[in-house]
Amino acid sequence: MVEFNEAYFKPEYREGFYIEEKMKRAWAAQIEVLEEIRRICVKHGITFFADWGSLLGAVRHKGFIPWDDDLDIGMLRGDYMRFLEVAPLELCQPFEIKSLYNDPEHDNVKCRVISGRHMNFDRKYLDMFHNCPYVVGIDIFPIDYIPKDASKMNEQTKMIELVMSVAASVPPEPPYSDEVLELAAKLERTFGVSFDKNNRLFHELKKLVDMLSALYDESCSKEVCSMIDLAGGWDYHVPVSCYSKSMELPFENVTIPVPIGYDTILRIKYGDDYMTPRQCSSSHDYPFYAKQEQALKDVLEREYGREFTDDEFQKLLAEEIKG
């Protein structure tokens, strides 16, 4: 368990942005998830890197971007698939992994290591996650290889676009029309796959997208990318050499590995002036735990048969954490 002194959790302003104690504890809880991932990666010789906003945060802020509430990492495709293989067996309780290959409700091509499935006020859980009762997690993104042959790259992205367009048109749940079933059969014939008829078709299509994203390896590539973004029209790709080595940078009160070519990566993703902070909204609702709190509040209001003010609810929440 990572040691944090109580001073760390005091509210503060960073870059003019106010960070409340609950967010500090959520950050600390995510670092516990990071350390569990690190433990498994070290054991199995798997390399991972800070990615997206967490890479920018490590380089620019030596930690979280002040107005960000999540932690992202990436793995080259081979390491990513190896992690998906070993993590379900290696993760200590209460950690879990959600991926296309072990969770039929997880429809995202990235996987996610989480601290559990619901808010938890058990004393053992709270002690482990620094009095953060929320479900916290880390997204892990696959970093895929782009074939040197431009025609093969174009063919690959077109295949992914096709499957994504079909996925966008099918119902999220069965039953399916004859037209949808015939379309699925055509894709099976085209790509030489067999969809699991006991699973949702949308989920099977997302697995096919992931398979198509992983078609090529380092032997036939000079560049890597986020394949979903590349197929989606973002001309994002970087030299493989950017990920040839990793280096440790400070991240809050631990360190995190970053790719040796982080400057090139960050310039492509965020522009040449990436070191200049720009407060902006997150790609998801900030803070992430607001939805979890609202769900708990709804349960309590049904249980007590009345509505709670925000102050009343926060007081109940604080009392539950204190035990």
Side-chain angles (χ1 to χ4, degrees), residues 11-174:
E12 66 172 308
Y13 283 91
R14 294 188 186 180
E15 302 290 348
F17 186 85
Y18 181 72
I19 306 164
E20 64 180 356
E21 178 182 344
K22 286 193 292 185
M23 183 56 67
K24 290 286 198 73
R25 294 190 181 278
W27 284 356
Q30 289 178 65
I31 288 174
E32 293 297 339
V33 182
L34 176 70
E35 292 307 298
E36 176 67 0
I37 293 171
R38 191 197 307 268
R39 181 186 67 80
I40 295 171
C41 288
V42 169
K43 180 176 179 179
H44 291 275
I46 294 170
T47 300
F48 71 91
F49 309 91
D51 207 349
W52 300 100
S54 298
L55 175 58
L56 180 59
V59 173
R60 194 172 70 192
H61 302 278
K62 296 182 173 60
F64 288 92
I65 296 174
W67 40 91
D68 199 5
D69 62 357
D70 67 345
L71 208 166
D72 299 322
I73 63 176
M75 297 177 182
L76 291 168
R77 175 58 74 164
D79 281 327
Y80 179 79
M81 298 308 293
R82 177 65 176 149
F83 186 81
L84 294 187
E85 177 185 347
V86 302
L89 302 174
E90 291 281 3
L91 286 167
C92 295
Q93 291 186 342
F95 300 102
E96 297 183 41
I97 183 171
K98 298 168 62 177
S99 81
L100 285 169
Y101 304 100
N102 80 326
D103 187 337
E105 298 302 316
H106 184 80
D107 293 328
N108 206 308
V109 293
K110 64 187 176 186
C111 75
R112 184 168 175 81
V113 176
I114 55 176
S115 62
R117 296 277 177 167
H118 53 79
M119 288 180 69
N120 194 334
F121 294 93
D122 179 78
R123 190 68 256 165
K124 184 177 179 181
Y125 181 92
L126 292 173
D127 288 344
M128 178 181 292
F129 294 106
H130 308 282
N131 276 350
C132 173
Y134 311 108
V135 176
V136 299
I138 292 179
D139 290 329
I140 307 178
F141 295 81
I143 303 167
D144 285 307
Y145 295 96
I146 303 171
K148 299 174 187 175
D149 187 328
S151 64
K152 290 183 177 180
M153 182 191 74
N154 290 333
E155 180 183 13
Q156 181 185 22
T157 55
K158 287 185 182 301
M159 289 190 294
I160 294 171
E161 288 172 11
L162 170 63
V163 179
M164 290 294 289
S165 67
V166 173
S169 68
V170 303
E173 303 284 345

Side-chain angles (χ1 to χ4, degrees), residues 183-298:
L183 186 56
K186 286 182 179 179
L187 289 177
E188 288 179 310
R189 293 192 295 269
T190 299
F191 296 110
V193 297
S194 295
F195 294 140
D196 182 353
K197 303 304 187 292
N198 294 317
N199 193 15
R200 293 176 301 119
L201 180 56
F202 183 81
H203 186 83
E204 291 296 301
L205 291 170
K206 283 302 190 78
K207 288 198 289 187
L208 178 55
V209 167
D210 195 55
M211 182 194 80
L212 294 171
S213 297
L215 280 179
Y216 299 98
D217 59 26
E218 189 173 5
S219 66
C220 54
S221 176
K222 291 183 178 179
E223 294 182 307
V224 292
C225 69
S226 168
M227 189 58 70
I228 293 299
D229 290 315
L230 186 68
W234 183 24
D235 189 24
Y236 164 65
H237 46 91
V238 299
V240 173
S241 59
C242 287
Y243 291 94
S244 61
K245 295 180 182 178
S246 68
M247 57 186 289
E248 294 284 331
L249 288 183
F251 196 89
E252 300 302 325
N253 66 336
V254 296
T255 64
I256 196 167
V258 304
I260 196 71
Y262 68 81
D263 180 67
T264 297
I265 297 167
L266 290 174
R267 287 180 187 276
I268 291 172
K269 287 185 174 180
Y270 299 105
D272 291 339
D273 60 346
Y274 68 82
M275 287 299 289
T276 302
R278 288 187 182 83
Q279 187 174 320
C280 59
S281 61
S282 174
S283 60
H284 50 263
D285 293 335
Y286 179 100
F288 73 87
Y289 45 74
K291 287 184 178 179
Q292 296 182 41
E293 288 188 356
Q294 185 60 53
L296 177 60
K297 186 170 181 280
D298 291 342

Side-chain angles (χ1 to χ4, degrees), residues 308-323:
F308 289 98
T309 67
D310 287 342
D311 287 344
E312 286 176 325
F313 174 73
Q314 291 301 326
K315 183 179 179 180
L316 283 173
L317 189 62
E319 289 174 351
E320 194 69 28
I321 292 171
K322 289 180 180 178

